[in-house]
Amino acid sequence: MDKTLRTIREEVRKNREGNIPLITLVVDTNILAYYGWKRDDNVRYLFNTLAIDDYDDLLIIAPKVSKIEFKAITKQERTAWLDLKAAIESKLKDISRYEGFENLYLSLNESRTEIHNLISSLDRSLHEVLEILSNLMLFFEIELPLQDSMAFYISKDPDYGLVFEDALVFSFVKLVGKALDGESKVLFLTKDSDFDVDIVQEELRAANVAIYFNSGECLQRIEEELGRG
């Protein structure tokens, strides 16, 4: 345990030129997606403004698995929109034969174009977003065997109800909280309700981590800690 905690502290210090930031915010995969897919203004403000303006006092961090999961869920999202686009295209010719439904045809045809643009945006996000985020946050790339073993047993325990990937994130957050206890306020931002379980929240509190499911509330807490509130 001590070696793992030292490794985390060392990596945080290395990323911040020897310093420990006032606030360390661990983010889940879905937060990366909300940023990359432009779904949450609070998350975009967090990365595009606070992470830059308050660089010395705020570190955003995510485990390695989140980078991998972001690629996977972006591809899944892209596939879902491709399927919808194909379904629309398969019916357009049929709709054109119906008298009095010209507006429906035009609307669906326009929607097909917009869906194509959305798919192109998701394609770009696969290549661009992680590169942008790598300059705004720390992806923790070092292997932590203790994190893996913790996640394995947690994922097997029905009291937690977490799949292995979520257990990896949960274990990482707890380790960060313990590693930086007394040196940095550790927050965890996620939109995954699977973490909204008593045992999970109790263990995070015990590890000195405050969990947030609402980006606005998390942003307010960060601004208060930074003296912006």
Side-chain angles (χ1 to χ4, degrees):
M1 172 73 81
D2 289 344
K3 181 179 179 181
T4 298
L5 301 186
R6 283 198 303 272
T7 298
I8 293 172
R9 281 197 299 272
E10 288 169 3
E11 286 303 299
V12 169
R13 288 184 184 279
K14 186 187 301 183
N15 185 265
R16 282 297 183 268
E17 300 176 352
N19 298 313
I20 297 290
L22 175 66
I23 303 168
T24 302
L25 174 65
V26 186
V27 295
D28 198 4
T29 306
N30 45 58
I31 302 303
L32 305 182
Y34 271 66
Y35 174 81
W37 303 346
K38 301 178 181 179
R39 283 187 173 182
D40 188 315
D41 289 340
N42 291 323
V43 170
R44 289 173 59 77
Y45 176 73
L46 172 67
F47 282 102
N48 292 340
T49 301
L50 292 187
I52 297 171
D53 292 350
D54 294 280
Y55 176 86
D56 291 334
D57 293 322
L58 172 64
L59 170 64
I60 304 175
I61 186 172
K64 181 179 180 179
V65 65
S66 291
K67 180 187 288 189
I68 298 169
E69 283 190 311
F70 173 75
K71 295 177 183 178
I73 63 175
T74 300
K75 287 184 177 180
Q76 291 170 2
E77 185 80 357
R78 180 184 184 277
T79 297
W81 286 110
L82 273 173
D83 290 344
L84 178 58
K85 179 172 175 280
I88 291 173
E89 289 173 341
S90 70
K91 299 303 294 182
L92 276 176
K93 187 173 181 180
D94 289 340
I95 293 172
S96 68
R97 295 175 177 146
Y98 285 90
E99 184 178 348
F101 289 91
E102 292 80 6
N103 288 338
L104 176 60
Y105 175 88
L106 293 172
S107 176
L108 287 175
N109 194 41
E110 183 178 348
S111 295
R112 177 182 63 167
T113 301
E114 291 300 315
I115 291 173
H116 174 79
N117 293 337
L118 176 56
I119 293 169
S120 297
S121 176
L122 290 171
D123 285 338
R124 288 194 301 273
S125 76
L126 277 172
H127 303 288
E128 297 175 0
V129 170
L130 288 177
E131 183 177 349
I132 293 170
L133 286 173
S134 294
N135 293 317
L136 299 173
M137 61 176 291
L138 171 62
F139 284 108
F140 200 93
E141 301 283 356
I142 294 179
E143 298 291 338
L144 298 172
L146 180 58
Q147 176 195 359
D148 295 340
S149 62
M150 288 170 62
F152 174 78
Y153 289 108
I154 288 170
S155 67
K156 298 296 183 181
D157 189 333
D159 288 344
Y160 292 89
L162 298 176
V163 298
F164 182 66
E165 290 79 5
D166 286 345
L168 276 173
V169 174
F170 174 54
S171 300
F172 179 76
V173 176
K174 287 205 302 179
L175 289 170
V176 171
K178 292 178 180 179
L180 302 182
D181 182 26
E183 297 182 83
S184 180
K185 290 182 172 62
V186 179
L187 314 179
F188 175 42
L189 177 59
T190 178
K191 291 182 180 286
D192 189 344
S193 60
D194 287 343
F195 291 109
D196 193 8
V197 179
D198 287 344
I199 189 173
V200 170
Q201 299 200 37
E202 288 169 5
E203 291 190 11
L204 288 177
R205 281 194 294 271
N208 309 294
V209 177
I211 185 172
Y212 289 89
F213 296 95
N214 182 291
S215 60
E217 293 176 359
C218 183
L219 186 61
Q220 182 179 359
R221 168 72 184 280
I222 292 172
E223 291 190 313
E224 287 174 356
E225 296 290 347
L226 293 172
R228 287 171 171 258

